[in-house]
Amino acid sequence: MRPTRPGVLAACAVLAAVLTWAVLRVWVARGRAEPELLWTTLLTIALLAVVVVAVGWPVRQWVRGEKERRIDALRAARTVALAKAASLAGSLLVGVFAGVVVHYLPTAHIAARRDQLLVAVADLVVSGLLVAAGLVVERSCRVPPRDDGPGGPPPDPAP
């Protein structure tokens, strides 16, 4: 599996931000109220980031040689897949909440809208932490290539 490229994550975030902002503009223009942002979203995203780090920690220890007990290869692969999914989902959430922040900025002087803006900013920051957790776990679970396997270096030529 190839490592996640930051450019892909940035593109996902920008696309999600533009789409969210546009959909909110149309939604409000049709006379509908904005969806309410809850603080529980913040806690849920933070919990996801903690779970990604907690699942990745034993694999990281094994890769660095700090853990004697061998980690199952399937478990390590699933951990990397979880980390990749977390970084991608986090980047989409960063974009969504950035779009909401841009939507609420012009009316931040209204108290109720300022409260929603603060929730959106907090969600944006925690979503960024989810991206970071995914990237860190993905990078820390990389196993260096083995030299003694079939894909190792060619044998030395005979003198």
Side-chain angles (χ1 to χ4, degrees):
M1 184 180 304
R2 290 186 172 172
T4 305
R5 288 186 255 156
V8 171
L9 297 178
C12 287
V14 169
L15 182 63
V18 170
L19 285 174
T20 300
W21 175 77
V23 166
L24 278 174
R25 296 241 345 169
V26 170
W27 187 265
V28 172
R30 292 187 177 210
R32 297 183 178 124
E34 292 100 349
E36 185 177 349
L37 299 175
L38 304 173
W39 286 102
T40 54
T41 307
L42 174 97
L43 297 174
T44 304
I45 298 169
L47 180 64
L48 286 173
V50 168
V51 166
V52 168
V53 171
V55 168
W57 187 255
V59 178
R60 177 185 178 274
Q61 285 181 315
W62 177 76
V63 167
R64 296 178 112 202
E66 298 170 2
K67 193 172 191 175
E68 290 112 31
R69 201 173 121 233
R70 184 161 169 77
I71 299 286
D72 181 32
L74 185 58
R75 178 180 174 186
R78 286 178 179 162
T79 301
V80 172
L82 173 68
K84 190 175 192 90
S87 63
L88 286 168
S91 70
L92 289 173
L93 288 171
V94 164
V96 167
F97 293 121
V100 172
V101 166
V102 170
H103 174 75
Y104 280 119
L105 273 178
T107 56
H109 60 280
I110 301 170
R113 295 179 68 81
R114 188 176 331 116
D115 291 342
Q116 289 295 293
L117 177 65
L118 291 175
V119 174
V121 168
D123 286 340
L124 177 95
V125 170
V126 173
S127 297
L129 292 176
L130 179 61
V131 172
L135 288 174
V136 166
V137 169
E138 182 181 353
R139 301 278 192 281
S140 68
C141 291
R142 293 181 81 184
V143 177
R146 292 180 12 177
D147 291 337
D148 57 351
D156 292 329

